[in-house]
Amino acid sequence: MRPDVSRDVLRLVDTRSVKPVLPFHTVERRIGAITMDNDGYGRYRGEVQIAKRNLSANANVNVIGYVIEEDHELLSLVRPGQKLELITV
C-alpha cells in the first residue's frame, strides 16, 4: 500500500502504466471494487485502488474486480505501507 492515506480508497504501489489503458466498465464503484485508472487520468494511468466506501461512476476509472463481501471488514484494517495480496476466486 502507498504511504499516503485516502478517505475513499486504498492505493496500491507501483501500478502506473506507460501502456494504454482504454476505458471499459466505468461503473459505480461500491465498497470493495478494485479499480484501475484509465487513459483519461493521464500520468495516473494504470494506478490500482480498492474502494473503501461507495463511490459514483467515473469515466476515467475502470472497475476490474471486487473484494469478496465477507472480506470487506478487512479493508479498514489495511495500513499505509502494508503488503496486500489479492487472490483470484
Side-chain angles (χ1 to χ4, degrees):
M1 302 308 312
R2 282 182 26 183
D4 53 332
V5 178
S6 168
R7 177 192 69 176
D8 298 335
V9 296
L10 298 170
R11 297 179 178 137
L12 279 66
V13 205
D14 297 328
T15 56
R16 291 184 189 173
S17 175
V18 293
K19 296 179 181 177
V21 178
L22 300 177
F24 73 94
H25 202 56
T26 57
V27 297
E28 178 183 2
R29 299 161 288 160
R30 62 182 193 264
I31 295 172
I34 303 169
T35 66
M36 178 181 284
D37 292 348
N38 63 44
D39 291 342
Y41 268 137
R43 69 184 182 117
Y44 298 104
R45 167 193 318 118
E47 190 165 295
V48 177
Q49 304 172 359
I50 302 172
K52 295 192 295 187
R53 55 190 297 239
N54 291 328
L55 301 167
S56 60
N58 181 325
N60 298 324
V61 180
N62 300 340
V63 176
I64 60 172
Y66 296 93
V67 172
I68 57 175
E69 191 170 342
E70 53 261 30
D71 287 344
H72 286 184
E73 64 188 47
L74 299 175
L75 297 176
S76 65
L77 302 176
V78 179
R79 297 291 170 241
Q82 189 173 22
K83 290 187 179 190
L84 181 68
E85 183 177 3
L86 300 175
I87 301 169
T88 304
V89 293

